[in-house]
């Protein structure tokens, strides 16, 4: 008898992350000896600060290697409460915090906990690649709201209001943004909050994973601190980006106890609590001082220098549109004027994916196509790499694009 190899329709409907696919492809090329410059991954190139790493090592040496409570240790949840109060102006108690194996898990559990089949998840585009797929896993429908590079990829409140209905259940905001680096100013968040307040079913998931990687004069504002928004906001953050702790796999959710408890119920049957070792390291991370202290400000200074270099370099190229990022470590560039060009031995560049394939083949630089983020006019460059690496990448990209003079004037 033949084995039934069919899969769940839910799994079949989910797309593989293009970011992961490109990273894997670039890694395979590098392992084969191809000198690929990898600017696809959203991962800081810095080591975890020494004091944080020491806390993890000490935890192992002291035998702190057993299960923790499902929601996370009281020590860490209390430290998170203190951080949110002091830095974000939002108050929680430890039972309103859920620690998970990364912010990605926190977001997925939140979507699963509050969305029912037929509900709409409102997602501004460009968006982090996983948001629509998470909605799909919850049998919810993604309603994508486009933004414009000329408006720094920020959501238009009037567009939001025109699209809301009784089906609207969850609005996802990401600031600073992956993939654009845009930061929502307080005034705009206040306008959005006023609209949200008029829709009783609508909740907001505020993804603040990049809050500490921000460039003055831009400042970070937590959506839950807006008037009337604490009761309907689920705030997600983590340790991967700001503290260079991607491999430690630790994130958290903060919100009203009713919703957090529901997410905890899912986690109890899914993964249970996060790593005991990582949680000890996270306590040390939150002890570095306001916004991560000097260790984090040193990283942010380097990221800013890299951003400035890339903005200047691509600004000198014809046919490239730029929205200068105010946070995170991504540049989302509009290269659409280079589309519809046929290259001998390659074919027609008809969008962001084929342009990225061309640059990987011709320039040996790995980037992520904008269609993965809901905007096919752009490509994403991660500048979580050394300045020397970025300089080499820009030279390769410019050389590869010489034969691709813009198809239309910009």
């Amino acid at each position: 008898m033949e084995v039934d190899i069919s899969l769940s329709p839910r799994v079949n409907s989910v797309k593989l992350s293009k970011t992961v696919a490109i990273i894997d492809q670039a890694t395979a090329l590098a392992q084969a000896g191809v000198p690929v410059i990898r600017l696809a991954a959203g991962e800081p190139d810095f080591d975890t600060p020494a004091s944080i790493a020491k806390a993890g090592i000490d935890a192992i040496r002291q035998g702190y290697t057993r299960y923790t409570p499902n929601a996370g240790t009281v020590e860490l949840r209390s430290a998170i409460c203190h951080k949110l109060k002091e830095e974000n102006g939002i108050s929680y108690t430890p039972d309103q915090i859920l620690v998970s194996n990364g912010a990605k898990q926190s977001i997925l559990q939140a979507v699963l906990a509050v969305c029912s089949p037929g509900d709409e998840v409102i997602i501004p585009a460009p968006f982090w690649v996983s948001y629509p797929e998470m909605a799909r896993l919850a049998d919810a429908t993604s309603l994508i709201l486009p933004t414009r590079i000329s408006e720094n990829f920020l959501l238009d409140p009037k567009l939001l209001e025109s699209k809301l209905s009784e089906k609207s259940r969850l609005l996802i905001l990401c600031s600073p943004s992956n993939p654009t680096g845009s930061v929502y100013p307080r005034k705009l968040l206040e306008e959005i909050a006023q609209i949200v307040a008029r829709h009783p079913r609508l909740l907001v998931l505020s993804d603040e994973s990049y809050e500490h990687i921000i460039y003055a004069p831009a400042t970070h504002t937590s959506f839950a601190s807006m008037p009337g928004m604490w009761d309907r906001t689920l705030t997600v953050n983590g340790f991967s980006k700001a503290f260079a702790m991607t491999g430690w796999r630790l994130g958290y959710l903060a919100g009203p106890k009713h919703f957090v408890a529901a997410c905890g119920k899912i986690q109890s049957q899914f993964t249970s609590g996060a790593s005991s070792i990582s949680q000890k390291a996270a306590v040390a991370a939150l002890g570095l001082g306001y916004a991560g202290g000097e260790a984090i400000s040193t990283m942010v200074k380097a990221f800013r220098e890299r951003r400035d270099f890339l903005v200047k370099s691509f600004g000198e190229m014809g046919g490239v549109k730029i929205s200068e990022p105010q946070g995170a470590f991504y540049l989302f560039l509009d290269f659409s004027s280079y589309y519809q060009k046929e290259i001998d031995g390659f074919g027609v560049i008809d969008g962001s994916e084929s342009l990225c394939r061309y640059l990987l083949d011709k320039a040996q630089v790995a980037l992520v196509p904008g269609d993965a983020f809901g905007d096919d006019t752009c490509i994403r460059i991660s500048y979580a790499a050394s300045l020397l690496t970025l300089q080499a990448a820009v030279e390769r990209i410019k050389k590869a694009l010489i034969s691709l003079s813009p198809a239309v004037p910009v």
Side-chain angles (χ1 to χ4, degrees):
M1 295 179 65
E2 292 186 5
V3 176
D4 182 352
I5 61 171
S6 60
L7 299 174
S8 158
R10 179 180 286 108
V11 172
N12 282 332
S13 70
V14 174
K15 302 173 185 176
L16 178 68
S17 167
K18 281 192 177 182
T19 307
V20 172
I22 290 170
I23 292 170
D24 289 347
Q25 183 182 1
T27 300
L29 288 172
Q31 291 174 343
V34 179
V36 175
I37 295 178
R38 289 173 277 183
L39 302 180
E43 181 172 39
D45 56 315
F46 298 97
D47 291 332
T48 301
S51 60
I52 300 174
K54 181 180 181 300
I57 293 169
D58 289 345
I60 296 172
R61 287 175 173 166
Q62 294 166 11
Y64 195 76
T65 55
R66 299 185 181 278
Y67 291 135
T68 70
N70 178 60
T73 65
V74 174
E75 180 187 28
L76 177 54
R77 284 182 286 143
S78 296
I80 291 170
C81 289
H82 178 75
K83 173 258 188 277
L84 291 171
K85 177 66 175 176
E86 294 298 313
E87 296 184 0
N88 305 88
I90 41 181
S91 298
Y92 297 95
T93 53
D95 60 355
Q96 295 169 329
I97 306 293
L98 177 65
V99 177
S100 303
N101 298 278
K104 181 179 281 190
Q105 181 182 353
S106 297
I107 296 170
L108 176 58
Q109 289 175 167
V111 174
L112 291 173
V114 305
C115 292
S116 301
D119 281 344
E120 286 183 345
V121 179
I122 317 299
I123 306 173
F127 47 73
W128 180 47
V129 296
S130 295
Y131 294 147
E133 304 311 310
M134 290 175 174
R136 200 186 307 271
L137 284 170
D139 288 329
T141 301
S142 295
L143 180 59
I144 308 301
L145 301 186
T147 63
R148 299 176 181 176
I149 192 170
S150 60
E151 297 172 353
N152 296 318
F153 297 113
L154 296 172
L155 178 61
D156 181 352
K158 293 181 180 178
L159 176 62
L160 171 64
E161 188 160 31
S162 71
K163 297 297 184 180
L164 294 179
S165 69
E166 292 181 357
K167 294 181 179 179
S168 304
R169 180 56 173 160
L170 187 66
L171 167 64
I172 299 182
L173 296 176
C174 181
S175 178
S177 166
N178 173 10
T180 68
S182 300
V183 174
Y184 277 79
R186 175 178 289 273
K187 184 177 179 181
L188 180 54
L189 291 179
E190 289 174 346
E191 291 183 52
I192 293 173
Q194 290 171 3
I195 294 169
V196 171
R198 294 195 285 270
H199 295 266
R201 287 199 72 232
L202 186 59
L203 304 174
V204 176
L205 190 149
S206 183
D207 183 349
E208 304 180 8
S209 299
Y210 294 88
E211 71 160 320
H212 290 329
I213 304 174
I214 197 165
Y215 314 117
T219 56
H220 174 72
T221 302
S222 288
F223 192 79
S225 69
M226 296 292 98
M229 290 299 105
W230 187 97
D231 288 333
R232 59 169 77 205
T233 301
L234 304 171
T235 300
V236 172
N237 209 323
F239 298 86
S240 292
K241 309 302 181 180
F243 296 101
M245 293 176 66
T246 50
W248 297 79
R249 306 312 306 128
L250 205 66
Y252 59 87
L253 170 74
K257 185 177 179 180
H258 171 72
F259 295 125
V260 173
C263 294
K265 186 190 300 184
I266 296 172
Q267 182 162 298
S268 73
Q269 301 291 1
F270 187 25
T271 61
S272 297
S275 161
S276 58
I277 300 158
S278 297
Q279 291 185 65
K280 276 292 187 183
V283 172
L286 294 178
L288 289 177
Y290 190 92
E294 184 178 353
I296 306 310
S297 66
T298 299
M299 290 189 219
V300 173
K301 182 179 179 180
F303 284 136
R304 180 168 194 152
E305 182 182 14
R306 299 167 186 180
R307 179 205 66 171
D308 292 346
F309 165 73
L310 289 178
V311 168
K312 181 177 184 297
S313 297
F314 285 108
E316 295 170 350
M317 290 182 61
V320 180
K321 295 180 183 178
I322 301 174
S323 170
E324 184 173 295
Q326 301 301 302
F329 39 70
Y330 306 110
L331 194 57
F332 205 60
L333 299 169
D334 184 335
F335 274 93
S336 59
S337 63
Y338 286 85
Y339 296 172
Q340 307 309 320
K341 186 81 173 182
E342 186 168 359
I343 305 297
D344 291 339
F346 179 82
V348 177
I349 292 179
D350 57 3
S352 60
E353 185 166 358
S354 55
L355 178 59
C356 284
R357 282 193 288 106
Y358 172 73
L359 291 174
L360 183 59
D361 177 61
K362 181 73 173 179
Q364 297 176 341
V365 178
L367 309 170
V368 186
D371 66 346
F373 307 100
D375 187 340
D376 194 36
T377 65
C378 297
I379 61 176
R380 190 190 79 173
I381 299 176
S382 169
Y383 49 91
S386 72
L387 194 56
L388 286 175
T389 298
L390 295 174
Q391 290 169 344
V394 168
E395 289 305 309
R396 291 189 188 186
I397 292 170
K398 285 184 176 180
K399 187 175 180 180
L401 293 180
I402 286 177
S403 58
L404 290 179
S405 55
V408 293
V410 175

